Amino acid sequence: MSYSQSNIDANHLKEENDRYYAFVNLALILAAVTGIELVLVYLPFPRTIIFTILISLSLFKFIGVVAWFMHLIYDKLILTMAFGTGMVIAFGTYTALLFLLGGDAVAPPEIPGR
Amino acid sequence: MSQEVAHDDSHHNLMVKNKKLLMWLFLGSDCMFFGTLISTHLIYRKLYPEEFDPTLLFSLELTSFSTFILLMSSFLMALSVSAMHKGEIKSFRRNVIGVIFFGLIFLGCQVYEFAHFVHEGLTLSTGTFGSTFYLMTGTHGVHVAIGVFWLISMLFYSKGGNMEAHKNAVDVETAGLYWHFVDIVWIVIFTVVYLIEFIA
Amino acid sequence: MTTDTTIISNPKQNTDISELKPELSDIGLVRPDHSKNVFIDWLTTVDHKKIGLMYGTLALFFLLVGGLEALVIRTQLAVPENDLISAQRYNQLFTMHGTTMIFLAIMPLNAAFFNFLVPLQIGARDVAFPRINAFSLWAFVAGALVVNFGWILQALEAFGLFSASGPTAGMNDFVPAMGWFGYAPITGKEFTGAGTDFWIMGLQILGVASISASFNFIVTIINMRAPGVKMMRLPVFTWMTLIVSLLIIFAFPAITIALAQLMFDRVFGTNFFSVAGGGQPILWQHLFWIFGHPEVYILVLPAMGIVSEVLPTFARKPLFGYAIVVFSGAVIGFLGFAVWSHHMFTTGLGKIATAAFSLLTMAIAVPTGVKIFNWVGTLWGGKIRFHAPMIFALGFVWMFMMGGFSGIMHSSAPADAQQQDSYFVIAHFHYVAIGGILLAIVSGIYYWLPKMIGRMWQGKLNIWVGILTVVGLNITFFPMHFLGLLGMPRRTHTYLSGFGWETYNLVCTIGSYILAFGVLLLLVDIIRCFRSKIPAGNDPWDARTLEWATSSPPKVYNFAQTPIVNARDAFWADKYGPLDRKMGMVDESHGIHMPSQSWMPLIASFGFIPLGLGMSLMQAGVPYAGYTAILGLVILVLGIALWAIEGPGGYHLHPNKQSH
Amino acid sequence: MKKLKALRIWLMSILGLIPLIFISGCNLNTRMSTFVTKGPVAETQLDLFMLTVWVTGFIFLAVGGVYVYVVIRFRDKKGDENIIPTQGHGNPLIELSLIGISILLLVIIAVPTLQGIWYTHDVPDDESSLLGSWYSHGDISDAAKEEPFIIRAIGYRWWWEFEYPQLGITTANEFVIPAGRPIHIELRSVDVIHSFWLPKIAGKVDLIPGRANSMWIQAGDSKEAWIEKNNFSGSDSETQLAYLKYLEDEIYDYYYGQCAEYCGDSHARMLFRAHVVSDDRFYSWIDRMKTGHTKAPDDMNWDNWYQAYDQSPETLTGDINEGLKLFMGRAKCATCHVVKGNPRAVGVAGPNLTYLAERHSIAAGWLNHRNEDNTVDKKAQLANFIQWIKHTDDVKPGNLMWKAKGGGIGELQPLLNDEEIRKISLYLQSLQ
Ligand code: HEA
Ligand code: HEA
Ligand code: CUA
Ligand SMILES: [Cu+2]
């Protein structure tokens, strides 16, 4: 139906060729970021700073792959919603859980009783 | 064949292929799967920071290498999806072979890593660290293995000219989405399980 | 297109289908299509209506099983210090009662309605992935079998014919006995035997069934709507299906992983929840309720959907505040992910967390209240006709409200400290479960069964069903509020006299028999409906939504020609609305494409049986059980592989002309 | 007559509710009633509960009233069959105001709830909650003076251990506390999850293995709180007298509690008791628990008794001595139980049996021998001891005294005979 052979040639070819460069660039950036991350952990900066940078970099890579390799920015909004809902629920729930299970609640090793 | 298309696409209100939507929903759901696994690991790391010192065992070089490999496989996957959309079956096959090859390297690294860790005394029942680490990375590894298996069967299927852009592009794209997802899960694991352990 | 113009009036239609020639699938096997053998036809069907009917029948069966378990529980508790059944048996019974009711009765009953109605309500021919749909059904059957398999072993054990060896030697509980939420560490292998393994494997399989079905429904609802069925024109029941399916795919992973971790603890000696190795049992509670609370809304939202269909029909008015009802359904669903710890108020969460979850829980009363208000608003100014479905729907609103109020009482954490794990909780959730969900489902049965089977109810038995269930449920569960507040803990197989619990318990027990009698009469009525001679006609209730536009029962292809919808209550608008709101028809002169039937979903999902049983029996020390499990896995993988290779197939029908 | 159908059903339902209201008129002052509160924690919890009842009750009447009215008013009347009512779609104003009212009503519950959460969480943060502020009997460590009074409740399948770490004593299943004093309870479990529930004094908190939970309880109001609550004014001695009378009349008592989290086969039989007494009686109980049973039967010094037991057991005659011999020997009781004073009864797998005969129940509260006037029914007690030792497994299916991987009395070869059991029981009765 709407996906006839001629259609592909006309519209998609150009689109796909444009994307090609985006992909190559992204791949290069991803490789570079991974290298940076590797170096970063050994740098003598305060923990929190490195931690924050690492998380941001990983978020950046994450978004890069999702948006371009997985075509989310090119694709229908409904797909972003499907995935995003899962992401948000998972992230929210497990961040909350991480805070809920604090170390202070762990019983001291003395076996209860004796 | 045209009838299948007729059925599959009869009236898609949003013009998103069913299979693709299914895969995205699955990935949304998979976020919860991996969320549970990763958070279990992090929770126990937080509760028992002293239980185990992974920096003595982890090799950042190896893990960075396999991270790099996986990222590049993702790149090739993107290319092969693109090729499929353009109807360039040959190029598609070339790229997919690359993806499979990289995927196997990743799996090899993981097998090596596991074997090494077990040899060094970190087993499934070594405290909570062993349990959470192996189940999490193992589940990821199984995802990679399934992906490899899937791509291999696709490769075979495409051999006799069975694949056509208008018909199978969505299949390749779906497999591609899956593969990329496995990659982004690893991006997260790489940071929160490996890298941050090494912050000085 | 009005009531009688469904074009499908070719009486030779069915024979036409069965005269189609069987085709070969891509792997060269004959497809089981158009089989003359009834069994093969049902086993390999991909027709959402048949699948729905099978879900419904099985679920009603398990409702009986779960109800019977409840009756034994109630009989045991009728008098203090009763020794009708042993402590172990009692513990197994309440565990299986809870598990059965929730996973094997209510959820599949909801699934039955989803399956049957959703494609009809959106004007589709079938769900998006018919074979996955069949797979979900059979995986549910496999899971149900695995969970209940322990009863056989337990019977053998009672006669001294079987006892556990291997990893759980000496623990002869083959039916799970740790409560439906299986709190660690009692699920550890130091404390419970193979019953827990059956439970783990069974729930895991049921989870696969539910998740895969849900993907299917979401894709169906988003993608397969007939022209003009915009999202904001979907019937509320379909909306609730969509929301529930989303809840399922986001909530079940938490329990799937938790179960996997538990399974690893038991089989491979990991330390997720075992205290000796540093595991924190509390983590299980969190993971379980991250699933468990959304689960209760998974149970109740379809019920609300049913009621939102029945009330407008019998009040002859559109649903009051459609958009806000839909929206509040979504809010309930997603707030449901933020309140899980209200089941854990007594576990020492700390002040801040307790306060946060307390307030968030209360917040859920607002969107729920919105629904109640809108239902009342729907009735306001209507012409209320008291047919059987309406009676139960009206009962639902009332009883659910009462159950909701005891939920609010729980939500105040300090007050809950006195209520948690007491009969007050039992009262709360049976009000929402029976007064709420079950009444709504009964309402749904009375409403849609004529559509499903094409026959009309006869007689006045429904009045008695109504009286007995409503009265019975109140007599059974109302006193439980007092029992709980007078200190009776739940899950106790017996109790001492002198605590002031005797009378209440006796009354509860009597009530449960009244209730059971009501359910029994419902079944009788259903059977009478099946044997009824009165044809239902397309639209017996003067209803509003699309499913009533087609024949009863609908033909395989649902609509001879895909309707074009121009209004929210599409069928009502078609009957009574202005001209521009009436339905149109898609021109489908090329014929209707029907999916082929297949063996593969059945085969693949039945691989779960040896897999689940093998893993569990291994724990009980049965020889070769491990190999059985591997065999199951092989069957599963093979089934899925063949499924992929055989191709979807399909054939064309020309309802109003000749088939080719 | 379709409309009558539904009306009849509702009528019947309401009739069905009448007997329920009858029962609810029943006695709410029962042993574990949460309606009869005997301490500030339970009181806070009850107040909150009643608040939720009033608020939801109000909504119930309002919404339910409108509902019934609507159903009756808008029913389909004869001849209306073909009338189609106005197809109204909703009214945002009504919706919003109802949402607003709901939120308002929830705030009425929410604010006291927050206060309640903070209040019930742990002992009040004030001077008079510290152990040092009221404990005036014997020495306690300086650290203890700066802490609240601590009792550690430890859950076992299926019994309770109560430790008083600051006072150095341990008891089981029945514990004694002074009235009007805040107590911090540490909750620990050795096996699975249990839950500590003493309804009249406080709601429950779980005992979770691997987790350090705690709660606080207090039986009866403190003097200050009591004065404030009753607006009492009078001289110091009058106040003291009136306060003591309040404690005497309402608080000193024997309270029933139970494990509230499913913990396996005998979860139903994991009960416990709290004995609330005056400071003086509490002190004397502490003294006795600390010293334990200084003398063996026949007023013998333990050293002498053991000498005789080791060298010439036949000289130890009489039922109680025979019972004790079995207790120490063949019956293996001493391998699992502590009897304070007895230097060889130091097993810790089972409940501490010091002054067992003074408790009003055994088997974690399942077998009772208490008279209403708070004395022990000696005959019932003996019967209970005998039943417990003889039918341990029936009284509590699966319990660890009967079968304990080779250590339980159910695994003895040969099993104890009736005569032996009677003698052991008589010995147990001498523990007072
Ligand atoms: C089946 C469905 C179902 C539904 C719909 C609900 C609905 C609610 N539940 Fe319930 N619940 C269960 C099933 C359900 N529950 C089960 C199975 C358990 C026990 C599990 C176990 O332990 O085994 C449980 C347990 C449970 C607990 C834990 C108790 C404990 O163990 O200590 C709590 C605590 O907060 C709770 C709260 C609520 C609340 C606030 C709602 C709300 O959604 C209710 C909202 C509805 C209303 C309030 C009525 C209508 C509203 C109005 C008329 C508007 C105006 C009202 C106000 C402003 C108050 N539930
Ligand atoms: C949605 C689910 C649901 C439903 C519908 C029910 C229905 C009933 N439940 Fe339910 N119940 C639960 C979910 C449900 N329950 C859960 C989750 C638990 C917690 C489990 C746990 O603690 O782990 C529980 C626990 C529970 C307890 C507490 C046990 C304990 O804690 O010790 C009790 C006690 O009275 C009870 C009673 C009943 C009764 C009398 C019914 C009645 O409605 C049943 C009515 C009867 C029938 C529906 C069947 C009719 C049968 C016949 C007509 C017999 C004739 C048939 C033949 C001869 C073939 N249930
Ligand atoms: Cu301990 Cu229940
Ligand atoms: Cu809940």
Side-chain angles (χ1 to χ4, degrees):
Chain A
M1 307 201 359
S2 66
Y3 249 172
S4 74
Q5 191 68 43
S6 61
N7 248 349
I8 292 177
D9 294 349
N11 302 334
H12 286 201
L13 213 56
K14 184 172 156 10
E15 246 178 59
E16 293 294 344
N17 286 338
D18 288 349
R19 285 181 197 172
Y20 180 80
Y21 297 105
F23 293 161
V24 175
N25 289 338
L26 183 60
L28 290 176
I29 295 172
L30 289 176
V33 168
T34 308
I36 294 173
E37 287 177 330
L38 181 58
V39 177
L40 212 59
V41 291
Y42 295 113
L43 294 183
F45 296 136
R47 264 187 82 86
T48 36
I49 295 188
I50 300 210
F51 182 79
T52 322
I53 299 179
L54 281 181
I55 297 291
S56 330
L57 286 181
S58 130
L59 201 69
F60 172 78
K61 289 203 284 186
F62 188 101
I63 293 174
V65 175
V66 175
W68 281 280
F69 283 172
M70 297 170 87
H71 297 181
L72 259 195
I73 55 161
Y74 308 123
D75 240 328
K76 285 280 189 293
L77 182 66
I78 186 83
L79 300 180
T80 312
M81 278 161 62
F83 184 67
T85 315
M87 261 325 282
V88 167
I89 292 179
F91 183 78
T93 306
Y94 291 115
T95 315
L97 187 58
L98 218 58
F99 283 104
L100 278 175
L101 275 164
D104 52 329
V106 176
E110 38 120 10
I111 283 294
R114 16 220 119 254
Chain B
M1 279 295 104
S2 70
Q3 45 175 264
E4 188 193 330
V5 176
H7 170 65
D8 206 34
D9 292 22
S10 44
H11 37 258
H12 290 179
N13 311 66
L14 294 159
M15 290 314 293
V16 177
K17 297 267 186 169
N18 281 347
K19 283 180 186 166
K20 195 160 142 189
L21 182 57
L22 178 80
M23 181 47 74
W24 273 109
L25 288 166
F26 171 75
L27 298 184
S29 173
D30 224 15
C31 287
M32 281 300 281
F33 280 102
F34 279 106
T36 317
L37 287 164
I38 295 173
S39 67
T40 306
H41 180 78
L42 294 182
I43 283 165
Y44 280 127
R45 281 304 284 150
K46 181 183 162 201
L47 288 185
Y48 309 116
E50 311 294 323
E51 182 194 280
F52 185 84
D53 184 359
T55 56
L56 300 178
L57 205 52
F58 287 175
S59 148
L60 261 197
E61 291 74 24
L62 179 71
T63 314
S64 305
F65 172 69
S66 43
T67 307
F68 173 75
I69 287 291
L70 209 52
L71 284 170
M72 290 309 109
S73 77
S74 228
F75 169 58
L76 291 184
M77 192 69 233
L79 292 188
S80 47
V81 172
S82 198
M84 195 65 205
H85 272 296
K86 289 186 279 190
E88 297 167 1
I89 308 287
K90 274 231 180 67
S91 150
F92 156 75
R93 284 170 57 84
R94 255 200 325 271
N95 283 315
V96 159
I97 290 174
V99 178
I100 294 170
F101 182 63
F102 279 6
L104 288 173
I105 293 182
F106 179 86
L107 284 176
C109 287
Q110 191 164 40
V111 170
Y112 168 78
E113 190 188 35
F114 279 15
H116 174 65
F117 288 179
V118 170
H119 183 74
E120 295 288 317
L122 180 73
T123 66
L124 261 178
S125 38
T126 312
T128 54
F129 188 90
S131 306
T132 58
F133 176 80
Y134 282 120
L135 190 64
M136 170 182 54
T137 49
T139 308
H140 179 265
V142 170
H143 271 69
V144 177
I146 292 175
V148 168
F149 184 74
W150 188 352
L151 293 178
I152 289 179
S153 34
M154 217 164 241
L155 192 66
F156 272 102
Y157 188 67
S158 70
K159 207 164 147 199
N162 279 326
M163 290 259 212
E164 293 164 49
H166 69 277
K167 180 164 66 92
N168 296 107
V170 66
D171 296 336
V172 176
E173 199 178 344
T174 310
L177 290 175
Y178 175 84
W179 189 266
H180 295 307
F181 181 76
V182 172
D183 185 29
I184 58 176
V185 169
W186 188 257
I187 289 176
V188 175
I189 291 182
F190 178 59
T191 302
V192 301
V193 175
Y194 288 88
L195 280 176
I196 57 172
E197 300 285 1
F198 283 86
I199 302 180
Chain C
M1 182 160 152
T2 50
T3 334
D4 48 355
T5 39
T6 356
I7 328 274
I8 334 167
S9 38
N10 184 347
K12 278 167 68 188
Q13 191 48 58
N14 287 328
T15 46
D16 279 349
I17 296 171
S18 58
E19 277 161 15
L20 285 175
K21 275 207 207 64
E23 334 165 22
L24 293 186
S25 66
D26 294 4
I27 42 175
L29 296 177
V30 181
R31 289 189 195 275
D33 284 319
H34 344 300
S35 171
K36 302 224 163 43
N37 182 323
V38 185
F39 284 107
I40 293 181
D41 192 43
W42 282 81
L43 288 177
T44 61
T45 189
V46 292
D47 180 356
H48 69 97
K49 297 177 289 298
K50 285 184 176 161
I51 290 174
L53 285 176
M54 283 191 276
Y55 260 119
T57 317
L58 288 165
L60 281 177
F61 169 73
F62 281 113
L63 182 72
L64 274 193
V65 173
L68 221 56
E69 284 160 351
L71 290 185
V72 181
I73 289 176
R74 281 313 328 161
T75 314
Q76 160 74 9
L77 292 178
V79 291
E81 296 181 63
N82 196 358
D83 56 1
L84 178 74
I85 51 174
S86 68
Q88 187 196 48
R89 202 68 70 237
Y90 182 91
N91 298 337
Q92 295 174 330
L93 281 170
F94 74 67
T95 305
M96 285 308 292
H97 164 69
T99 307
T100 303
M101 283 300 195
I102 288 184
F103 295 102
L104 307 181
I106 304 292
M107 277 184 77
L109 270 171
N110 288 339
F113 286 111
F114 295 170
N115 265 295
F116 201 97
L117 293 173
V118 166
L120 289 171
Q121 288 198 327
I122 63 175
R125 301 243 176 267
D126 205 321
V127 293
F129 301 95
R131 285 182 299 169
I132 292 184
N133 210 21
F135 172 78
S136 304
L137 169 72
W138 299 116
F140 155 66
V141 175
L145 238 140
V146 172
V147 186
N148 278 292
F149 189 79
W151 289 116
I152 300 176
L153 294 187
Q154 201 69 66
L156 290 178
E157 192 263 349
F159 292 110
L161 296 173
F162 183 79
S163 70
S165 53
T168 62
M171 274 181 287
N172 286 320
D173 51 337
F174 302 111
V175 178
M178 67 298 181
W180 81 279
F181 40 68
Y183 276 180
I186 209 170
T187 46
K189 65 170 180 291
E190 307 91 314
F191 301 112
T192 43
T196 307
D197 296 291
F198 285 116
W199 184 79
I200 294 173
M201 294 311 297
L203 285 203
Q204 203 69 287
I205 298 166
L206 291 170
V208 173
S210 300
I211 295 185
S212 54
S214 301
F215 288 138
N216 211 344
F217 286 122
I218 301 171
V219 177
T220 305
I221 295 171
I222 290 180
N223 258 0
M224 310 289 283
R225 285 167 286 136
V229 187
K230 299 183 185 145
M231 288 308 272
M232 289 317 274
R233 283 180 183 165
L234 287 178
V236 177
F237 180 77
T238 299
W239 257 114
M240 293 305 126
T241 308
L242 178 63
I243 292 167
V244 164
S245 303
L246 285 167
L247 291 186
I248 289 178
I249 67 169
F250 297 132
F252 266 75
I255 195 181
T256 304
I257 295 299
L259 284 169
Q261 293 172 337
L262 183 59
M263 197 261 283
F264 267 68
D265 271 6
R266 288 180 66 89
V267 182
F268 303 113
T270 52
N271 295 310
F272 289 102
F273 309 115
S274 88
V275 186
Q280 286 283 332
I282 191 83
L283 179 64
W284 168 272
Q285 297 194 13
H286 281 292
L287 295 183
F288 184 89
W289 291 117
I290 285 174
F291 149 79
H293 187 81
E295 168 71 12
V296 307
Y297 294 117
I298 289 169
L299 298 175
V300 85
L301 286 179
M304 293 176 162
I306 292 174
V307 170
S308 305
E309 300 285 308
V310 172
L311 290 179
T313 296
F314 293 96
R316 315 192 96 198
K317 266 186 74 212
L319 187 67
F320 191 81
Y322 169 91
I324 203 166
V325 169
V326 168
F327 181 68
S328 60
V331 172
I332 292 176
F334 290 97
L335 262 185
F337 278 99
V339 300
W340 78 87
S341 286
H342 69 209
H343 296 272
M344 301 166 60
F345 281 150
T346 62
T347 58
L349 292 168
K351 287 184 278 201
I352 310 279
T354 306
F357 281 106
S358 214
L359 297 187
L360 281 165
T361 304
M362 288 175 194
I364 287 199
V366 176
T368 318
V370 166
K371 294 209 159 197
I372 304 256
F373 301 144
N374 281 293
W375 289 326
V376 178
T378 306
L379 299 178
W380 190 285
K383 287 276 164 217
I384 303 173
R385 296 173 295 153
F386 295 104
H387 291 295
M390 188 61 167
I391 294 174
F392 289 95
L394 290 173
F396 164 91
V397 176
W398 186 294
M399 291 301 140
F400 175 77
M401 195 162 69
M402 290 182 64
F405 288 145
S406 49
I408 293 303
M409 297 174 192
H410 281 310
S411 71
S412 176
D416 185 58
Q418 293 282 23
Q419 298 156 3
Q420 193 263 347
D421 267 335
S422 79
Y423 265 82
F424 194 90
V425 182
I426 305 285
H428 158 62
F429 69 74
H430 282 90
Y431 261 90
V432 279
I434 301 172
I437 303 162
L438 201 64
L439 286 188
I441 283 175
V442 175
S443 167
I445 292 175
Y446 273 107
Y447 188 50
W448 279 299
L449 197 65
K451 169 61 54 183
M452 295 177 180
I453 61 174
R455 290 163 220 259
M456 198 54 194
W457 299 97
Q458 50 179 343
K460 300 232 175 302
L461 207 53
N462 56 57
I463 301 177
W464 286 104
V465 178
I467 293 175
L468 289 172
T469 46
V470 173
V471 171
L473 95 90
N474 279 292
I475 296 184
T476 312
F477 297 109
F478 196 77
M480 285 190 191
H481 292 110
F482 285 93
L483 267 179
L485 295 168
L486 293 182
M488 178 152 168
R490 65 195 278 201
R491 299 177 167 178
T492 45
H493 70 279
T494 185
Y495 53 94
L496 289 171
S497 53
F499 284 71
W501 303 334
E502 299 90 331
T503 332
Y504 292 108
N505 270 305
L506 190 61
V507 172
C508 292
T509 303
I510 294 169
S512 68
Y513 278 95
I514 300 177
L515 176 54
F517 191 55
V519 175
L520 198 64
L521 286 190
L522 169 70
L523 293 178
V524 173
D525 210 14
I526 290 177
I527 291 169
R528 275 162 49 103
C529 184
F530 268 90
R531 304 170 55 147
S532 159
K533 297 261 164 12
I534 315 166
N538 289 359
D539 180 24
W541 310 115
D542 194 9
R544 314 178 69 87
T545 40
L546 207 51
E547 73 269 28
W548 302 101
T550 187
S551 61
S552 308
K555 298 285 189 298
V556 258
Y557 41 76
N558 292 351
F559 298 91
Q561 296 198 279
T562 300
I564 298 173
V565 167
N566 288 310
R568 187 172 288 155
D569 285 333
F571 187 47
W572 178 269
D574 193 53
K575 287 185 290 190
Y576 302 102
L579 210 61
D580 62 336
R581 292 290 177 188
K582 291 194 190 300
M583 286 193 256
M585 273 178 286
V586 177
D587 174 31
E588 283 174 313
S589 47
H590 62 280
I592 297 170
H593 175 263
M594 298 300 297
S596 286
Q597 305 199 176
S598 170
W599 283 105
M600 296 314 155
L602 183 74
I603 293 172
S605 55
F606 272 33
F608 281 129
I609 297 177
L611 178 61
L613 293 185
M615 289 297 289
S616 316
L617 291 173
M618 200 166 73
Q619 292 288 94
V622 173
Y624 303 113
Y627 297 106
T628 317
I630 295 174
L631 176 74
L633 200 62
V634 170
I635 297 178
L636 176 64
V637 172
L638 224 68
I640 293 177
L642 290 178
W643 168 348
I645 300 173
E646 77 171 354
Y651 53 91
H652 274 78
L653 287 181
H654 297 274
N656 38 358
K657 304 184 198 109
Q658 279 298 315
S659 319
H660 64 182
Chain D
M1 291 278 92
K2 280 169 195 157
K3 54 214 145 206
L4 279 187
K5 238 197 288 187
L7 289 182
R8 226 161 55 204
I9 290 181
W10 291 119
L11 213 67
M12 295 290 279
S13 323
I14 291 161
L15 282 182
L17 284 170
I18 288 177
L20 305 181
I21 293 162
F22 242 107
I23 314 171
S24 44
C26 265
N27 192 2
L28 294 184
N29 184 7
T30 57
R31 284 180 182 165
M32 288 188 28
S33 172
T34 61
F35 291 107
V36 184
T37 58
K38 298 288 179 156
V41 179
E43 199 178 309
T44 312
Q45 290 161 339
L46 178 66
D47 288 350
L48 267 171
F49 172 69
M50 289 317 290
L51 179 69
T52 60
V53 171
W54 288 121
V55 170
T56 54
F58 165 75
I59 303 171
F60 179 68
L61 287 183
V63 180
V66 173
Y67 186 59
V68 172
Y69 168 78
V70 168
V71 171
I72 294 173
R73 162 90 159 55
F74 296 105
R75 69 188 188 281
D76 195 18
K77 302 194 188 68
K78 234 203 181 99
D80 284 359
E81 284 81 16
N82 294 319
I83 299 177
I84 292 178
T86 338
Q87 302 288 300
H89 277 281
N91 183 332
L93 210 67
I94 298 183
E95 312 255 12
L96 283 178
S97 43
L98 285 173
I99 291 177
I101 295 173
S102 308
I103 293 176
L104 217 71
L105 288 167
L106 285 173
V107 171
I108 296 180
I109 303 178
V111 173
T113 294
L114 292 184
Q115 288 170 339
I117 291 172
W118 259 256
Y119 180 69
T120 55
H121 184 255
D122 206 345
V123 274
D125 198 8
D126 58 22
E127 207 52 29
S128 57
S129 297
L130 304 182
L131 183 56
S133 74
W134 59 271
Y135 189 82
S136 56
H137 184 75
D139 278 337
I140 49 171
S141 70
D142 285 344
K145 281 183 189 143
E146 295 302 310
E147 297 164 352
F149 178 29
I150 296 174
I151 295 178
R152 187 175 295 154
I154 303 165
Y156 293 76
R157 296 166 114 207
W158 289 278
W159 58 281
W160 300 83
E161 181 165 275
F162 295 102
E163 248 182 63
Y164 295 60
Q166 295 147 326
L167 310 179
I169 64 161
T170 299
T171 185
N173 296 330
E174 293 195 8
F175 66 116
V176 179
I177 52 171
R181 307 294 184 193
I183 303 166
H184 174 89
I185 306 224
E186 284 182 3
L187 302 162
R188 301 284 187 274
S189 165
V190 297
D191 36 44
V192 302
I193 303 176
H194 305 277
S195 190
F196 180 98
W197 189 22
L198 202 51
K200 286 189 179 178
I201 295 180
K204 61 190 80 60
V205 177
D206 296 349
L207 296 73
I208 303 176
R211 213 176 144 79
N213 272 355
S214 68
M215 66 189 291
W216 80 286
I217 62 172
Q218 176 178 323
D221 290 322
S222 66
K223 193 161 145 192
E224 295 72 33
W226 180 82
I227 293 172
E228 198 174 327
K229 206 187 272 174
N230 292 287
N231 249 332
F232 193 89
S233 57
S235 69
D236 279 1
S237 58
E238 274 170 8
T239 319
Q240 180 67 16
L241 238 82
Y243 176 63
L244 282 180
K245 185 166 158 30
Y246 152 73
L247 292 180
E248 190 73 46
D249 292 350
E250 294 182 33
I251 305 301
Y252 298 150
D253 204 349
Y254 184 75
Y255 292 92
Y256 294 77
Q258 179 155 4
C259 172
E261 182 64 60
Y262 175 67
C263 50
D265 278 354
S266 281
H267 158 64
R269 295 170 180 180
M270 184 167 167
L271 292 60
F272 65 96
R273 313 282 188 241
H275 209 154
V276 177
V277 297
S278 65
D279 283 359
D280 291 340
R281 286 193 56 191
F282 176 66
Y283 293 147
S284 75
W285 179 75
I286 294 289
D287 282 345
R288 275 146 25 88
M289 287 305 287
K290 266 189 180 155
T291 39
H293 306 271
T294 46
K295 291 279 160 54
D298 298 338
D299 234 8
M300 265 163 114
N301 181 309
W302 279 110
D303 288 340
N304 297 340
W305 192 88
Y306 272 111
Q307 214 165 2
Y309 176 65
D310 291 339
Q311 285 157 15
S312 46
E314 68 285 352
T315 60
L316 300 171
T317 54
D319 284 348
I320 294 183
N321 262 323
E322 298 274 336
L324 178 54
K325 273 167 23 189
L326 282 162
F327 189 89
M328 301 309 304
R330 196 173 82 76
K332 299 204 284 190
C333 317
T335 57
C336 296
H337 291 286
V338 171
V339 177
K340 186 88 182 199
N342 181 338
R344 290 200 202 165
V346 291
V348 289
N352 187 310
L353 299 183
T354 314
Y355 287 106
L356 176 71
E358 289 181 8
R359 298 188 204 152
H360 296 328
S361 68
I362 60 160
W366 188 254
L367 300 175
N368 292 274
H369 34 258
R370 166 176 178 250
N371 291 321
E372 273 312 312
D373 63 354
N374 256 337
T375 53
V376 170
D377 179 343
K378 283 285 168 192
K379 246 174 82 188
Q381 188 183 45
L382 186 67
N384 284 345
F385 283 144
I386 291 174
Q387 194 195 349
W388 172 244
I389 301 171
K390 197 166 170 182
H391 302 293
T392 317
D393 200 33
D394 295 339
V395 176
K396 274 201 188 174
N399 91 70
L400 292 174
M401 167 155 154
W402 187 250
K403 283 239 160 65
K405 300 223 168 77
I409 64 168
E411 292 144 317
L412 291 178
Q413 278 306 332
L415 288 175
L416 301 169
N417 65 31
D418 285 1
E419 188 48 29
E420 289 167 338
I421 290 176
R422 197 183 64 87
K423 285 176 182 161
I424 297 176
S425 304
L426 284 173
Y427 162 67
L428 293 179
Q429 268 204 319
S430 76
L431 296 175
Q432 54 176 322

